[in-house]
Amino acid sequence: MVKLIQPGNSKLVGMAMFNLPATKEVCGRLCPGCYAHREQQRYPTVLPARTTRYEASLQLDFVSRVRSELSSMKSPPKYFRIHASGDFYDQAYIQKWHQIVTSFPNITFYAYTKRKRDFDFTSLESLPNCVIIDSLKFGRINYGELSKAPPGAFICPHQKGADVVCGQNCTYCMSKTAQTNSVYFVKH
């Protein structure tokens, strides 16, 4: 049986994450320049693993499996990234994450989503240990050239080339401020 929780990638050191396929069926759209979609094309084993996790998320035992994996970790993460790839795909799936997040009050869960207008995120956003960031807050995707950053947007310092490690010396995306104000990523 495939583990559902993965260790963080090179940008998310010391975190845990859960990924789904970056496909139109899951994400509701296919964004131009999507890094996750490119990754699936470059590395042939990535898409089948993400698809297996998607199929697991559809099952009745999804919540208990994620809870079990998190509970059995020797060192529970301080931060958990929901969807470094993929997105929330329906209301029932959002409620599954609500059940998971409420079970781990000492872990901060965070996710970016382009689906804020498609589903009700109130239950997740109201939890003190969950941050849901709208990737379309500025009326367009929160990614692009620095010169096109919306006025007043928080610009990810990692993307600007600063020596920053997410979750260590920058925790903006794990804060409720990010849920309200969002974040902009500079194309590199």
Side-chain angles (χ1 to χ4, degrees):
M1 190 174 302
V2 171
K3 282 196 163 272
L4 299 179
I5 298 173
Q6 304 168 260
N9 56 30
S10 61
K11 183 180 172 188
L12 308 175
V13 178
M15 292 189 203
M17 63 183 182
F18 177 79
N19 290 318
L20 295 175
T23 61
K24 187 173 182 177
E25 295 76 27
V26 172
C27 300
R29 64 186 45 81
L30 202 50
C31 299
C34 175
Y35 74 90
H37 188 260
R38 277 195 321 265
E39 187 178 55
Q40 290 168 181
Q41 293 174 325
R42 275 179 64 193
Y43 305 105
T45 60
V46 171
L47 182 58
R50 290 176 180 170
T51 301
T52 298
R53 288 181 180 90
Y54 170 68
E55 290 166 355
S57 76
L58 296 168
Q59 303 305 309
L60 294 175
D61 67 346
F62 175 69
V63 171
S64 63
R65 283 185 63 192
V66 173
R67 283 177 177 158
S68 176
E69 285 187 30
L70 265 174
S71 295
S72 66
M73 294 176 92
K74 290 179 185 170
S75 247
K78 185 174 182 179
Y79 302 111
F80 190 108
R81 170 82 183 265
I82 305 170
H83 308 143
S85 169
D87 208 334
F88 296 95
Y89 56 83
D90 69 21
Q91 198 64 46
Y93 178 64
I94 291 168
Q95 289 312 117
K96 288 177 182 181
W97 277 106
H98 182 270
Q99 293 173 46
I100 294 165
V101 172
T102 57
S103 299
F104 298 94
N106 295 323
I107 299 174
T108 298
F109 293 79
Y110 73 106
Y112 304 90
T113 184
K114 296 172 188 79
R115 310 292 306 262
K116 287 278 291 183
R117 289 138 195 89
D118 300 335
F119 306 114
D120 181 2
F121 287 88
T122 307
S123 66
L124 275 177
E125 290 176 317
S126 68
L127 298 173
N129 63 321
C130 189
V131 178
I132 303 298
I133 302 168
D134 184 357
S135 293
L136 300 173
K137 180 173 177 79
F138 308 113
R140 58 185 165 87
I141 195 161
N142 63 340
Y143 169 80
E145 302 295 327
L146 180 58
S147 62
K148 295 181 181 177
F154 177 85
I155 299 171
C156 175
H158 180 79
Q159 303 294 321
K160 293 193 302 184
D163 189 18
V164 173
V165 179
C166 297
Q168 293 180 16
N169 55 354
C170 182
T171 57
Y172 181 83
C173 293
M174 297 89 183
S175 73
K176 287 293 189 177
T177 302
Q179 183 169 287
T180 304
N181 297 338
S182 199
V183 63
Y184 185 81
F185 296 94
V186 176
K187 185 177 182 179
H188 63 286

